[in-house]
Amino acid sequence: MKIRVKFKKWGCMKFIGHLEMMRYFQKAVRRADIDIRYSEGYSAHQIMSFAAPLGVGITSDGEYFDIDVNTTESTEKSIAALNAQMVDGVEVTGYVLLPDDAKKAMSLVAAADYVLSFKEGYESPYTIEEWKEAIDKHFFDEPSFVVMKKTKKSEREVDIKPLVYKLTVMENNKKPEFFMQVSTGSIDNIKPEFVLQAIYEKCGLAYDPLAIQIHRQEVYARKDDGTLICLLDMGEEIS
């Protein structure tokens, strides 16, 4: 049976990297007595794969990993068993059964929602209304949004506008914050902080990455008709 698990990550756990989180959940699954399947061969390992690695320092309400199990308790009991093993800063919020022919979450990721806000002690260079006007002028009112994208081997101009599905400015404690839904995955992947930095540069502003807290809200797959679906909604709760 294939299971998809959803969890939150916040607080000091945002500084724990992807590989450490994988090892953390491998131990937590064993301690929670989840009947996980192991690979065959000399060096057997848990059949577990994560959807989309989260960068260090980023918090999230929408992290996912898939596991194969031999047997399983109900969704409610399994979530309780896993959360009994969690430390402060991690909470399991979903546990669903996937169809037998379901693909791994890692290969399905197509988009993600993010909120970018100013950390305590940092001030925004613009008011909320000024940000809205600047984004309209430099992003929405232009036919393209071309930036220089650097890779390990080269750099090239890329129009990232088609990769930003939603972009709005909101208010949080009288400060502006940015909501983005961006293309995510192995094919067309764009980081939200890269988008915000490019907007800063278009406005002639200096971008300070230390001033911005990034929070991932949700991760999506793309259905055959082109619409997005939450990864958890691709499975069913177990009664």
Side-chain angles (χ1 to χ4, degrees):
M1 291 183 287
K2 298 180 179 181
I3 300 293
R4 180 160 295 157
V5 181
K6 182 178 183 180
F7 66 96
K8 296 180 178 181
K9 185 181 178 185
W10 74 93
C12 63
M13 290 300 287
K14 71 181 181 181
F15 299 113
I16 304 300
H18 176 62
L19 294 179
E20 287 76 14
M21 286 303 298
M22 289 178 62
R23 288 191 282 267
Y24 170 80
F25 271 106
Q26 287 169 355
K27 295 177 181 179
V29 163
R30 287 201 303 269
R31 292 170 180 165
D33 290 326
I34 302 296
D35 188 15
I36 191 169
R37 284 185 59 212
Y38 283 77
S39 64
E40 298 178 355
Y42 180 75
S43 180
H45 60 272
Q46 294 178 0
I47 300 178
M48 175 186 292
S49 63
F50 281 67
L54 191 68
V56 174
I58 300 176
T59 58
S60 178
D61 286 336
E63 296 307 290
Y64 292 91
F65 64 89
D66 293 346
I67 56 176
D68 282 11
V69 298
N70 299 304
T71 61
T72 183
E73 294 282 2
S74 68
T75 290
E76 182 179 0
K77 289 182 178 180
S78 297
I79 289 176
L82 285 166
N83 279 332
Q85 308 303 322
M86 296 296 106
V87 297
D88 185 39
V90 184
E91 179 187 0
V92 173
T93 59
Y95 183 101
V96 296
L97 177 66
L98 297 171
D100 292 339
D101 61 350
K103 296 180 180 180
K104 292 182 179 179
M106 182 186 301
S107 66
L108 294 171
V109 173
D113 291 343
Y114 292 90
V115 172
L116 292 82
S117 55
F118 290 92
K119 295 178 182 177
E120 186 175 351
Y122 291 90
E123 295 296 327
S124 168
Y126 284 170
T127 65
I128 296 171
E129 290 305 317
E130 287 172 338
W131 273 122
K132 290 180 178 179
E133 292 174 3
I135 289 174
D136 282 342
K137 176 182 177 181
H138 296 292
F139 190 85
F140 290 114
D141 292 345
E142 295 294 328
S144 61
F145 192 79
V146 178
V147 299
M148 188 65 71
K149 190 172 184 181
K150 297 180 180 180
T151 64
K152 293 181 179 179
K153 296 182 179 180
S154 64
E155 59 179 29
R156 58 191 176 92
E157 288 188 339
V158 179
D159 180 11
I160 65 172
K161 190 170 184 178
L163 305 180
V164 181
Y165 305 142
K166 296 179 182 178
L167 173 57
T168 58
V169 183
M170 306 179 295
E171 179 182 346
N172 183 14
N173 292 327
K174 297 183 179 180
K175 284 187 176 183
E177 65 178 15
F178 309 89
F179 171 80
M180 294 186 201
Q181 185 179 87
V182 296
S183 177
T184 308
S186 58
I187 300 177
D188 290 320
N189 185 74
I190 189 75
K191 294 181 179 180
E193 61 268 35
F194 181 73
V195 178
L196 185 60
Q197 181 178 355
I199 292 172
Y200 262 71
E201 291 174 355
K202 294 285 186 181
C203 295
L205 301 171
Y207 179 74
D208 181 3
L210 297 178
I212 304 298
Q213 177 60 54
I214 306 169
H215 179 75
R216 182 149 72 188
Q217 290 185 319
E218 190 54 87
V219 178
Y220 302 94
R222 193 177 300 280
K223 298 196 293 185
D224 292 339
D225 62 3
T227 59
L228 298 175
I229 180 173
C230 167
L231 289 182
L232 197 69
D233 292 341
M234 301 180 76
E236 296 183 353
E237 290 194 351
I238 307 161
S239 57

